Amino acid sequence: MYIDLVDALRCPNAHADSWLVAAAHETLDRCIVRGALGCPVCEAEYPIVAGIARFGGRTAPVREAPPRDDGERAAEGIRLAALLDLTDPGGIVALGGHWADAADAMLALADVRVLVVEPPDGPPWRVREPVGAVIGALLPVAPGALRGAALDEATATPERLDAAVRALRGRGRLVAPADAPLPAGVRALARDARHWVAERE
């Protein structure tokens, strides 16, 4: 877990909004490889294993990503940066599922921090500065903490789309598969055969 993302994380249990306290047992550069996140309100503890904060079991099935070469991943990263309007630096972007495969190419264009939600197993993505990951919660971040979010077919459930809207700041972008329902609180900006993009009202 990239240390600079910890301040944006929140306990997913039903109580007053609460930040989480990180305890690092093993670090690499500015990432917690092994440790825990603790909630000062309900005293819940969430382990960090292999850099991934685990809030419970997976909430989305792990699907095999379509095979992509470096050129295809680069093109997907450019598309993602454009859909999320990442022309200015700063902020946090949540990437659900296999959008993580485009993180490196997106980060080559955009100076942002990345929180991967329900990441795929194995390469090409990995936890490192400025990337962290979470498993087992819809979107355990503070309201208004995200600049943008992109969810894939496995992660774009109605519940997680609603959670993404709550987590977006004003005019933050949300990207989802074309057949996913448009949640309340956003207005659609564009749609093609693959995705729609919406903006937080």
Side-chain angles (χ1 to χ4, degrees):
M1 173 59 66
Y2 178 47
I3 291 171
D4 286 3
L5 290 170
V6 171
D7 284 347
L9 297 178
R10 293 294 183 268
C11 179
N13 290 336
H15 54 63
D17 183 55
S18 175
W19 69 91
L20 296 171
V21 178
H25 306 307
E26 179 186 348
T27 61
L28 179 63
D29 298 324
R30 292 180 45 79
C31 292
I32 300 172
V33 177
R34 188 173 53 85
L37 299 170
C39 175
V41 175
C42 68
E43 300 183 359
E45 190 170 294
Y46 307 104
I48 299 172
V49 180
I52 300 172
R54 298 177 183 270
F55 290 88
R58 282 190 176 271
T59 60
V62 178
R63 295 186 180 178
E64 188 172 336
R68 292 191 178 107
D69 61 26
D70 289 344
E72 291 169 322
R73 277 195 294 274
E76 198 72 349
I78 292 169
R79 175 180 171 85
L80 183 57
L83 291 173
L84 293 175
D85 190 27
L86 302 181
T87 53
D88 298 320
I92 300 170
V93 172
L95 302 180
H98 287 294
W99 277 115
D101 295 342
D104 283 343
M106 183 194 75
L107 286 167
L109 301 169
D111 182 11
V112 295
R113 289 166 287 161
V114 175
L115 181 67
V116 179
V117 180
E118 300 292 335
D121 292 329
W125 91 278
R126 61 189 170 83
V127 171
R128 79 277 186 201
E129 185 176 349
V131 180
V134 296
I135 285 174
L138 290 176
L139 203 49
V141 298
L146 297 181
R147 173 179 182 166
L151 303 176
D152 70 355
E153 291 80 4
T155 57
T157 62
E159 296 81 13
R160 187 172 277 116
L161 287 167
D162 289 340
V165 172
R166 287 190 298 275
L168 286 172
R169 67 189 189 190
R171 301 189 69 185
R173 293 280 182 93
L174 178 60
V175 176
D179 60 354
L182 188 73
V186 294
R187 65 183 183 89
L189 298 177
R191 179 187 295 266
D192 64 15
R194 292 177 60 199
H195 302 105
W196 53 252
V197 58
E199 184 179 78
R200 177 79 157 92
E201 294 175 339

